[in-house]
Amino acid sequence: MQLRNATIVPLGLLQVSLLKRLRQHGSGGVPGVIHSRYSKGELLRGALLTINGIAAGMRNTG
């Protein structure tokens, strides 16, 4: 379980960051927001890859 968590937890943190950037993408003029240099498609692809990575790491452990 510790081996699994060593890869799952960082993927989860990355996923949260990517989803936050996706939600903020295109919303102009939000104070305190650092605009992403990535396109919406690139952010979406990254988010989907983290979802697949977490699912593969969890397998049938729930």
Side-chain angles (χ1 to χ4, degrees), residues 14-30:
L14 182 60
Q15 183 180 52
V16 168
S17 175
L18 287 167
L19 290 174
K20 195 179 293 187
R21 287 182 186 193
L22 265 172
R23 290 182 185 131
Q24 293 171 349
H25 194 275
S27 62
V30 179

Side-chain angles (χ1 to χ4, degrees), residues 26-54:
S27 62
V30 179
V33 173
I34 299 171
H35 295 285
S36 177
R37 62 181 169 176
Y38 300 106
S39 70
K40 189 173 183 177
E42 290 171 322
L43 293 172
L44 181 60
R45 177 157 170 75
L48 291 174
L49 286 171
T50 61
I51 291 169
N52 287 335
I54 291 170

